[in-house]
Amino acid sequence: MPSRRSGTPAFVLLLLVISLSFCTSSSELDSRWAAKKLEMRDKVREMFYHAYENYMTYAFPHDELKPLTKSYTDSLSELGNLKLEHLPTDYSGSALTLIESLSSLVIMGNNTEFERAVGWLSKNLSFDVDARVNLFECNIRVLGGLVSAHILASDSKNRLIQGSYDNELLGLAEDLGRRFLPAFDTPTGLPYAWVNLKYGVMEGETTETSTSGCGSLILEMGALSRLTGDPRYEFAALRALRKLWSMRSSLNLFGTTLDVMTGEWIEHSSGIGAGVDSFYEYLVKAHILFGKDDYWRMFQSAYLAVQKYFRHGSWYHEADMRSGRATYWQLTSLQAFWPGLQVLVGDVRAANSSHREFFSVWEKYGVLPERYLLDYQTVHPTEKYYPLRPELAESTFYLYHATKDPFYIEVGEAIVNSLNFYTKVEGGFASIRDVTTMQREDHQHSFFLAETCKYLYLLFDDSFLAGRNYVFTTEGHPLPVLSDWHDRLPEAYIPSNWTYVKSRMSMERASAMSLQVCPATSLNLGEGQQAIESVCHVVDARGDHRCLRDEECGVDATSCRSRSCSIAGYCGLWLLV
Ligand code: DMJ
């Protein structure tokens, strides 16, 4: 009896000790992660300034930095895959990297440098130059950079500009937008890939363009129309998008390249990477930014087709748009944006599994090779380069903020360490020419500052996003989700109905990336912690994503309909497609 009496309090005490030590260790763990995030944020800030200051010292006002020789390149007129022989000779640079850095400066809280840069660009930038530029690249980098920075500069709440700001960036954006318009003057409304900023479309210009080249202009040109009240930009981009949509195959697939004069496909094989990627991205983001249901409907059908014909487990291969037959079994570095897009539409589980595959290839080489042969598990013989691309960091950022899983902090840390170890040089950050030897190349692309550093920074510190809804363009430039730009604001974006995420003691308003378009549901993580997850994610019962019965297939991310198991053993909306 006495032993029993004394045993009870000892047991209670033991429980108390265990639970106290658990509490201590979990809060210790929390503060360790918080400290890690701060440490990593500071490292990313250092990386950004190392790249930025070297650009400003050795390359500004030219386009991009050559970090090995500490010199510059005027690359804007050479961007893109489709080149003509006769490049302009008097092209003298457009301060491209400075324009691309504007929104990153704001996100990192450097209002002084932002104001200085806005002042310089307002006074010195001119598009009245005899320069043949790639429409897509110039749109996402220059127009997108200017429009986004204009919105940030004129946001009276933030007081980013202490002196006077008289919409100079918007004036520049409008001038550039006007110079784009001749490119759309084709029988199909599909724009030429290249346009001369001074003289319009050049004689003998190539009529070949890519799906992303003419299908991902709507965010920047739509924003320009909303800001200026001139509908021509949005109209031109939308007309091109609709024409492209009408060219889909009976399987709802698209090719990679096409002819703007005839509207015929040239390359029928495509995937979710080069030449197509941002087309899918802009359907979802245009829906979020402008609220039109049409964009969402297009995205839904396109997404289902991608999942049905390109997906193989967690990998995505390429397929012929006419037959759906697999063409290339290759992973490309550009595809790594896809998990981020899946988070945005609520397909968090599928995002998580494909992100892991990309990260495993990153870990294998230390960075992501441009192309990796899935069937041989090795790098492509000629596309061995890594030009400091942001896509894996971008998806990691989305996944961390949707799940708060510290695994993604570790991924971010691995990315930062690799970048510093392999690509940092005295004169900036150099691209990698060959991931098998880590031989460097003399080029620091502007998207390293616009995207790679920005997404890494936001992964570790998202205070810029607190209480606001932004959509990031494909070049990482933030555009705010505004009710006056909406035909009809989706539920999740109505301020009085904002979704809240409970974190520790405080309720924080979720930012754009955690407001998924599928209806959100609250997920109980235990210990009083809650997170938001979409009710519409794909639940794959088996780790290898194969299925035997319909019941194993869960619910489709975009339509919330039950999926079924195909004869080949994959889940999908087979009965409905
Ligand atoms: C960026 O210029 C954009 O993200 C574009 O959509 C494709 N990828 C490059 C960087 O990799």
Side-chain angles (χ1 to χ4, degrees), residues 14-86:
L14 185 67
L15 266 184
L16 204 69
V17 170
I18 291 172
S19 60
L20 274 180
S21 65
F22 181 75
C23 287
T24 322
S25 62
S26 86
S27 72
E28 251 175 31
L29 212 61
D30 274 358
S31 56
R32 245 188 285 146
W33 282 117
K36 167 66 67 189
K37 281 164 61 178
L38 282 183
E39 178 200 329
M40 294 312 300
R41 180 200 63 186
D42 292 346
K43 267 196 184 174
V44 177
R45 200 201 299 268
E46 260 175 46
M47 287 165 67
F48 174 82
Y49 284 113
H50 183 68
Y52 181 79
E53 278 156 14
N54 273 297
Y55 163 74
M56 291 305 282
T57 309
Y58 300 112
F60 172 78
H62 293 276
D63 286 345
E64 291 180 315
L65 172 70
K66 292 176 99 171
L68 300 180
T69 49
K70 297 184 178 166
S71 57
Y72 63 84
T73 161
D74 281 326
S75 46
L76 185 61
S77 58
E78 294 168 24
L79 292 167
N81 304 319
L82 316 168
K83 284 188 196 164
L84 268 193
E85 302 305 305
H86 43 100

Side-chain angles (χ1 to χ4, degrees), residues 147-164:
V147 163
S148 167
H150 161 72
I151 298 172
L152 293 169
S154 46
D155 177 349
S156 56
K157 264 191 252 140
N158 290 317
R159 308 197 55 75
L160 293 175
I161 304 266
Q162 297 305 316
S164 65

